[in-house]
Amino acid sequence: MEKQKKEVVIVGGGLAGLISALLLAKSGHQVQLIEKKTYPFHRVCGEYVSNEVVSFLIRHGLYPDFLDLPQIHQFEFSDTGGKSVTIPLDLGGFGISRHFLDEWLYHKALDEGVSVMAGTQVAQVNFDEKSDLFHLALSDSRVIHTPFVLGAFGKRSKLDKSLHRNFILQRSPYIGVKYHIKTDFSRDTVALHNFRGGYCGLNAIEEGKYNLCYLGSREQLRAYGSIEEMERQILWKNPILKRIFSESEFLLDKPEVINEINFESKLPVENHILMIGDSAGLITPLCGNGMAMAIHSAKLAVEALDHGTSRKEIEQRYFTSWNAQFKKRLAVGRTVQKLFGSGKGSVIARNLIEHVPFAAHLIMRNTHGQPF
């Protein structure tokens, strides 16, 4: 049966938005992608991609094999006191910056015929039952009409508020901070270092650089008045982090920061919008699987649009497949996070990893999917 060609607007040009745009365009659909920023730009992200998506990316020509990307096979964990343990990763992964990857995918999308509106904000999205169309109001007063919308607007957006999504009503205590650095650290290892109130990830990316990204406390930032002072007073209490911060070369003019990162449950379909990537659900960063989940969710949404013959069928297909793939992973991530960011909890977690490695691998398997 021949696929019905559809008109689709994707709101958000991050990893999920770009992958879905490319897949839809390759399937012959008419695709418009709207991104509020202009490429290239940095995002607060762990920049580690699980190998569960590598075969998929290679099949679709979306793996940048011309780069010497670090292949990551080891996991290092330290508690708040700086005691550490290292174990092998089940699947492993690779490191790549969003600054590079998103821009590369953006140009591939243009080459595939995707209409990209970068530097354009979507102010509001409304679905009209009578016409069976979405009306997207842009910040420059234009209005776009389309039968299908994919929501790829990330962890937290003004659109979430205008759509009355439940999670946006709840305040979150978390902030995310990201740097690119040059440092002395193994390129085949991803590290997770705990400090009071949060944890910090470190892994290699392209061109000899490293991504340093941490989840911290909004209250601690308020108490110390600046990112730098909070880091000195809180993160540096872990001697490993003190060494990294004091001995590394910091490459960005200033850190990338995002406020109120929320891990509450979201729905993958709301107001008839297929939510993909972090818009559908945000896994805790300690699981290291957010980028792979964004890619996989884009694939599922495109499959629903490819094979569904009605709006109801498309929404049901995506809702069912998204929950089957990700609902359990998100729940496990929220549970495991309770062991992190505290002295006692991080020591328990370190001892578990060191003395009961089976438990650590069980957590990995329950927060990651199988290669597809």
Side-chain angles (χ1 to χ4, degrees), residues 40-41 46 98 151 194 309 320:
F41 56 91
R98 294 293 300 278
N194 280 261
T309 56
T320 301

Side-chain angles (χ1 to χ4, degrees), residues 15-186:
L15 194 51
L18 288 163
I19 293 288
S20 59
L22 279 156
L23 296 178
L24 286 166
K26 287 172 181 283
S27 288
H29 302 289
Q30 183 178 329
V31 189
Q32 186 165 41
L33 184 145
I34 306 173
E35 166 55 47
K36 65 182 179 181
K37 296 183 179 181
T38 54
Y39 299 95
F41 56 91
H42 291 282
R43 296 180 186 270
V44 176
C45 178
E47 301 188 335
Y48 165 86
V49 187
S50 165
N51 279 338
E52 68 195 71
V53 301
V54 169
S55 294
F56 166 80
L57 293 175
I58 292 172
R59 283 199 310 273
H60 291 277
L62 302 177
Y63 182 83
D65 54 7
F66 55 90
L67 281 182
D68 182 20
L69 294 176
Q71 303 301 306
I72 298 170
H73 308 291
Q74 302 286 326
F75 172 62
E76 179 186 354
F77 177 94
S78 75
D79 59 29
T80 55
K83 291 185 177 180
S84 67
V85 59
T86 301
I87 62 170
L89 290 166
D90 288 347
L91 283 174
F94 64 94
I96 186 169
S97 74
R98 294 293 300 278
H99 187 272
F100 175 86
L101 181 59
D102 288 17
E103 185 187 25
W104 182 68
L105 292 172
Y106 158 65
H107 286 292
K108 291 187 77 69
L110 292 176
D111 291 343
E112 287 291 339
V114 176
S115 172
V116 181
M117 298 172 64
T120 303
Q121 177 91 41
V122 176
Q124 199 161 12
V125 180
N126 293 307
F127 181 74
D128 180 58
E129 299 280 353
K130 187 174 182 180
S131 64
D132 200 33
L133 290 173
F134 288 95
H135 306 298
L136 286 74
L138 308 185
S139 54
D140 59 9
S141 301
R142 284 180 293 170
V143 178
I144 294 175
H145 310 284
T146 184
F148 297 101
V149 170
L150 297 185
F153 33 84
K155 301 173 180 67
R156 186 180 184 89
S157 167
K158 291 180 180 178
L159 283 177
D160 292 311
K161 189 172 182 180
S162 70
L163 292 167
H164 307 292
R165 302 186 77 189
N166 287 334
F167 84 93
I168 202 73
L169 303 175
Q170 303 181 48
R171 300 300 302 270
S172 168
Y174 300 113
I175 59 168
V177 181
K178 186 188 89 167
Y179 299 94
H180 281 171
I181 64 174
K182 287 198 173 179
T183 194
D184 181 19
F185 184 65
S186 172

Side-chain angles (χ1 to χ4, degrees), residues 166-168 170-171 261-266 280-282 334:
N166 287 334
F167 84 93
I168 202 73
Q170 303 181 48
R171 300 300 302 270
I261 300 177
N262 195 309
F263 302 106
E264 297 294 327
S265 296
K266 303 175 183 178
L282 180 59
R334 285 192 293 268

